[in-house]
Amino acid sequence: MSTPRAKPKYYLTTPLYYTNGMPHIGHTYSTIVTDVIRRYKRMRGFDVFMTTGADEHGVNVERSAQKAGKSPLDFSTEIAAQWKQLWDDLGIAGDEFIRTTDEKHHRTVQWLFKRCRDNGFIDKGSYTGQYCVHDNAYVVEAGPGDPCPDCGRPTETVTEENYFFKLSEFQQKLLDFYAANPDFIQPESRRNEVLSFVNGGLKNLSITRTTIKWGIPVPGEFPHVFYVWFDALIGYLTAAGGPDYDQRGLWPADLHIVGKEIIRFHAVYWPAFLMAADLPLQKQIWAHGWLLFDSQKMSKSRGNVVRPRPIVNALGIEPLRYYMLREIVFGQDGSFSYDAMVTRYNSDLANGLGNLASRTLTMIERYFGGEIPEPAATQGRDMYVPAAADFAADALTNITKLYDRFSFSQALEAIWEQVAAIDKFITVEKPWALADQPENRDRLAMVLYSAAESLRIIAALAHPVLPEATRKIWKQLGLTEPLGQVQLDQVAWGQLKPGTRIGKPEGIFPRVDKSETIARIEAMEQEPTKAQDAAPAAAATAPAATPAAAAPVVTKIGIEDFAKVEMRVGLVKSAERVAGADKLLQLQVDIGDEVRQIVAGLALAYKPEDLVGRKVVVVTNLLPRKLRGVESNGMIVAASLPDGAPVLAGFIEDVPVGARLK
Ligand code: MSP
């Protein structure tokens, strides 16, 4: 029996990523898109659950582990932890991170296999064919010596005694299902591709292997292990409760987000397995295109990957989210370029939304003492209110329609048309001139009210893509309801209450120098992956404020920028290791008027007991951040040696705790 839910559930998934390598921005794109849909669906009244995870079996992982001199499980455990850490750090972790090595997953796979077998859809047989090790798939159309048509690598001739899934029996059932559910496979181009594949006839599918050891054992059938794809797809169901799926009320999944190269597995094999096991089928699959770099699919084997951390360290995660969703038409391939990303950042975020928010709020602060003005119905009203209020009505409907169709790029384009329109409206109305004319006080109020109210609606609409920036704008507008819980069908014009105290206007997206930013990202890209993916050497920092430790380009800043950093003398009261992180220490540091918890990357150079009683330099006004799940409220200043070892900054003379550094 499923648990009754107050809201309709929406269960969505990313692919489960292979643990034979580290994520690049292609994988990051899939997870970001899924996170955007999750946030959007929440604002449309759904109780959303998102699964991501690691696909850990198969020859590729086994071989990578061998190269690293580790057991497949140890190797895969380390890599899976790094994937999970990345999603956590980027704020895009799912509600469940499923590992295909989890015991509960083994049970689900074995259970589903038994159901298919009991229902008569599994047979034993022997098979000789061309196998692509890289793609973990037999290439039916290849002969001995032929390359794999997907990845171009040589195929290997393999003969095995296997269990076969009777896929051929599902051809008509699948075709009937696709016909009855025209939205099952999206976009249309992928649906056509799948239809022609299935129309061309389906061969039975070998779902166990005896040639490899690294897989889930087929019960009572040693040395058979399950084929990695049979195993991995079932991960979506494991995350929803496995054999007890009906108790969670999550299954069937509402949406699988995948890259286009794995559409066949999701749109043909997976529904066939589910039909054979007599289980409900997922409701929809959306296949997105590829991120291309130098006109080719970004992939580890091509060596043309771009990693997410350098971008996030230099610019922040939100500019990357915005760029990907705005620039790539969802469902199509898109080229990635640093130049285009930074250009978008400056034009749409710094000069666009950031500037609109800061000029609107600054003027409300200046001309109305920081309170949302009362929009009296007076002269000039007709000139501008209809445009802005119409926006609320029309744009809300249009933009939610675009989001509903996952037309993210168009939705953002439409939102940014409004950003430009309100910006222009302010420029035309010249509030700074109206402010000098006491007779135009009402008009000034109406102009600034309209700008602020538009900003509120824009923030709500852009929230799924820019969760943090819009939250800041929301707070600066004096709004207290958590933005992520706001329902888009309730965001009507006129809800901003006059008299509301706004927060302190602060910059959201500072303009950046394009070539210098790209140089910084590229310098970080040169650093070895290990250093990139480890926690920062000296504690926690907000991404956008982190100058790359090893970047050769150093930005010159004015004294006023330096003055924004508050540094104080702190006294370490206690120190202990952070479980599961070999570099991190969790410290309690007295900074004069309070004791702060700080997580610092000092453990390789300092023992916890050596730090207690030591005076250190603390950056005290950094945004809080979680490292390995532990909140950090500040940063300990340390020099970083070429091998990455930290050396603490300290004092020769005695200094009082809490003293400020200038
Ligand atoms: N393990 C399988 C999926 C099993 S799902 C039950 C797999 N893993 S993978 O690590 O290779 O990840 C593939 C997914 O990563 C793609 O489907 C896509 O979502 C994403 N991408 C990998 N490279 C990509 C690009 N260059 N561009 C966009 N997305 C890409 O396949």
Side-chain angles (χ1 to χ4, degrees), residues 451-577:
E453 177 58 341
S454 303
L455 192 58
R456 180 183 71 89
I457 293 169
I458 287 167
L461 284 167
H463 180 69
V465 179
L466 295 173
E468 282 313 314
T470 51
R471 229 176 248 143
K472 277 190 198 159
I473 294 174
W474 197 254
K475 218 170 130 206
Q476 287 175 19
L477 283 167
L479 299 163
T480 49
E481 186 186 359
L483 179 52
Q485 288 166 28
V486 165
Q487 296 302 297
L488 285 174
D489 59 357
Q490 314 278 307
V491 184
W493 177 268
Q495 289 174 9
L496 193 57
K497 288 208 179 51
T500 306
R501 259 234 71 82
I502 62 164
K504 205 171 159 327
E506 53 169 301
I508 298 168
F509 295 115
R511 230 189 119 76
V512 298
D513 181 277
K514 182 155 78 179
S515 42
E516 185 213 312
T517 306
I518 295 175
R520 276 176 56 196
I521 298 174
E522 287 178 341
M524 284 188 265
E525 265 290 349
Q526 301 312 314
E527 292 174 28
T529 322
K530 207 93 195 119
Q532 289 284 325
D533 297 320
T541 44
T546 314
V553 185
V554 175
T555 321
K556 294 236 187 307
I557 56 168
I559 188 78
E560 65 288 353
D561 282 327
F562 178 71
K564 288 182 195 152
V565 181
E566 193 196 59
M567 285 190 277
R568 290 208 237 158
V569 177
L571 176 71
V572 180
K573 305 291 284 180
S574 70
E576 59 186 88
R577 291 184 182 278

Side-chain angles (χ1 to χ4, degrees), residues 13-31 34 53-57 83 100 134-136 228-236 256-263 265-266 270 286-293 296-300 302 304-305 324 328 332-334:
T13 63
T14 74
L16 308 184
Y17 303 102
Y18 285 132
T19 48
N20 62 334
M22 294 300 298
H24 55 65
I25 56 163
H27 308 113
T28 311
Y29 174 64
S30 296
T31 311
T34 312
D55 183 358
E56 304 186 57
H57 295 119
W83 281 80
T100 56
H134 179 262
D135 294 342
N136 284 311
V228 64
W229 270 104
F230 183 77
D231 148 9
L233 290 160
I234 298 170
Y236 301 135
H256 293 316
I257 291 289
V258 299
K260 66 180 183 183
E261 79 287 3
I262 56 175
I263 187 72
F265 297 94
H266 286 80
W270 183 220
W286 246 99
H288 63 69
W290 287 335
L291 245 65
L292 310 175
F293 199 69
Q296 285 202 303
K297 182 189 179 211
M298 195 178 289
S299 76
K300 198 174 109 186
R302 286 205 181 85
N304 64 345
V305 297
M324 285 177 160
I328 299 167
Q332 295 178 18
D333 292 351

